[in-house]
Amino acid sequence: MKISDRSRLDRERIAEFTRGKVVHSVRLELGGEDPNHLHLDLYKVKSLGEAAPVVNSTIEEIQKMLNDFRGAKATVHFAGYYLVPRDKLPGNGLIRSAFFSVAKGDASITAAGGRYRIEGSPVQSIDWNLDDDADNVQITLTSEYFLDIDENFFSEAYRIFDSAFKVLILGE
């Protein structure tokens, strides 16, 4: 079955799962402008607060949908969303080292966000913004590939983003 053969209602699924003590969510969207497009978002539920989408599926249903496409090639967009207290970021890390504030008289300039493009890594970009209170940093890791869908697809995406977040953001 091709992705484009699915009804619009059957193309977007959102489910939650727990790993350790943390509740995560996964959003799978099939199709779009490219009928062979597969979009997968992984995030900690608390990172989106009230903006978190409504759960309409189970992780088992999402994995079954992915299994329906095992062996198929698809353009896959991965995104991982994180919300980190500003003071929990390492001082010499990519994001915290980019913070600055300059004031002259009544005028001031503060770095409130940015984007890093990465080459040679499974993660191709990092976007970050300070929240309105500047207490938390919203971080998005993204990548896009044309690849074969197999039984390890979902768990491998999670592993890549978890590892990239720990190394690139937390400096572990």
Side-chain angles (χ1 to χ4, degrees):
M1 173 184 296
K2 294 189 312 189
I3 290 172
S4 57
D5 291 341
R6 293 196 175 255
S7 70
R8 178 68 193 138
L9 184 62
D10 197 30
R11 291 186 191 177
E12 182 179 54
R13 295 295 174 109
I14 299 157
E16 291 182 352
F17 64 97
T18 302
R19 182 162 275 171
K21 296 180 181 178
V22 180
V23 178
H24 294 76
S25 189
V26 61
R27 175 180 165 265
L28 173 67
E29 183 177 5
L30 304 172
E33 288 183 28
D34 176 349
N36 291 321
H37 180 85
L38 190 146
H39 187 100
L40 185 67
D41 293 330
L42 297 169
Y43 51 91
K44 292 180 180 176
V45 170
K46 70 178 185 177
S47 70
L48 296 181
E50 293 178 15
V54 175
V55 171
N56 66 0
S57 192
T58 66
I59 199 70
E60 292 78 17
E61 288 175 342
I62 288 176
Q63 287 178 320
K64 182 182 179 321
M65 288 174 75
L66 290 172
N67 285 339
D68 288 346
F69 301 102
R70 185 180 292 172
K73 292 187 180 298
T75 301
V76 182
H77 176 90
F78 297 104
Y81 302 95
Y82 304 86
L83 183 67
V84 181
R86 180 179 176 164
D87 61 358
K88 297 291 185 198
L89 292 170
N92 60 349
L94 282 175
I95 295 175
R96 193 150 180 197
S97 64
F99 294 162
F100 74 87
S101 186
V102 177
K104 181 148 178 131
D106 291 338
S108 68
I109 299 173
T110 302
R115 167 174 273 186
Y116 295 103
R117 293 188 193 277
I118 305 168
E119 293 184 23
S121 167
V123 171
Q124 297 160 342
S125 69
I126 300 170
D127 291 281
W128 65 273
N129 317 346
L130 287 171
D131 67 4
D132 291 339
D133 299 327
D135 293 333
N136 296 298
V137 182
Q138 299 164 338
I139 302 167
T140 305
L141 307 178
T142 58
S143 63
E144 187 166 291
Y145 298 98
F146 186 74
L147 51 75
D148 293 326
I149 299 172
D150 64 19
E151 66 276 359
N152 298 318
F153 171 80
F154 177 73
S155 58
E156 183 66 8
Y158 182 86
R159 187 196 64 74
I160 287 170
F161 276 85
D162 188 51
S163 175
F165 179 76
K166 287 176 181 173
V167 171
L168 298 171
I169 306 303
L170 299 180
E172 295 178 2

